[in-house]
Amino acid sequence: MGKFSRAELEAAFEKYKRIKDECSRTGNWSPFADQFTKDCYYVEHAYGEFHGREQVRRYIVNVMAPYTNMSFPFDWSTIDEENGAIIFQVQNAFPKPFKDDGTPFMFPNITRLVYAGNGLLKEEQDWYNPKLHAGNVVKAWIAAGGKFESKEKLVMMHDKKRTKSKDGFL
């Protein structure tokens, strides 16, 4: 048995999903950081490591700037009670235009959250394959008429050779 009950972990996960959905709906990603402890650790393997709530806030606001209304439909989740963790897969779903079949352009992402107690998270780690999934999906979305809301403010750590277009990086 872990430090936190399954019910408390489930409540924290539901809160996380509500906040993420609200950020996507409003386009304001600043509140996303408020669900983390002041000394949290956040790893986004394509963009780097972030230490503390305010670094997470700067990261999430900047990374989401080109597509503030991207949504994240959940595919599956599991709770690791012993370690106070929640592991899940979402789809990073772009806003309209959609594919010819009416579904969003999207790619998968696996995330691990670690709960700190008192309704706050102390860690998040995200995994996906930018080369295989994200890049091709972004290109297809743009080809279908998708437009960035702003220029890209962050460049992936491993992808310094991308070609910059007038709308950002491809």
Side-chain angles (χ1 to χ4, degrees):
M1 177 78 181
K3 184 176 178 182
F4 305 106
S5 70
R6 183 175 189 85
E8 188 172 359
L9 294 169
E10 287 173 348
F13 187 41
E14 290 305 314
K15 176 184 171 188
Y16 176 89
K17 292 191 290 187
R18 279 192 311 275
I19 290 170
K20 203 165 189 177
D21 287 347
E22 182 66 9
C23 292
S24 179
R25 186 187 68 74
T26 64
N28 176 10
W29 283 90
S30 184
F32 178 81
D34 294 329
Q35 64 189 318
F36 292 91
T37 61
K38 289 181 180 178
D39 63 345
C40 68
Y41 176 61
Y42 192 110
V43 179
E44 210 292 358
H45 80 278
Y47 290 98
E49 298 180 17
F50 307 95
H51 300 272
R53 181 185 296 156
E54 294 313 312
Q55 280 192 9
V56 170
R57 187 181 320 280
R58 280 189 299 277
Y59 156 72
I60 198 70
V61 167
N62 284 321
V63 80
M64 294 306 296
Y67 21 75
T68 58
N69 298 114
M70 178 181 271
S71 62
F72 301 89
F74 285 78
D75 293 329
W76 57 262
S77 63
T78 189
I79 293 179
D80 175 359
E81 290 178 69
E82 187 173 326
N83 294 298
I86 302 120
I87 302 164
F88 57 90
Q89 179 173 296
V90 297
Q91 296 292 323
N92 294 314
F94 285 85
K96 290 182 180 179
F98 293 155
K99 296 188 278 187
D100 290 340
D101 67 3
T103 61
F105 290 92
M106 55 190 179
F107 61 91
N109 179 83
I110 294 176
T111 296
R112 179 178 184 260
L113 303 173
V114 180
Y115 185 62
N118 297 317
L120 296 174
L121 302 168
K122 65 180 180 181
E123 184 177 321
E124 177 168 339
Q125 293 190 35
D126 295 329
W127 298 279
Y128 59 97
N129 187 329
K131 296 269 187 197
L132 180 61
H133 298 121
N136 291 335
V137 172
V138 170
K139 288 176 185 175
W141 178 69
I142 290 170
K147 301 224 183 289
F148 293 120
E149 294 174 45
S150 72
K151 292 192 183 279
E152 191 173 37
K153 295 182 177 186
L154 296 177
V155 176
M156 292 181 182
M157 295 179 340
H158 65 279
D159 204 4
K160 304 293 187 202
K161 296 179 182 176
R162 289 186 297 164
T163 303
K164 190 168 184 177
S165 73
K166 65 180 175 67
D167 295 320
F169 287 92
L170 299 178

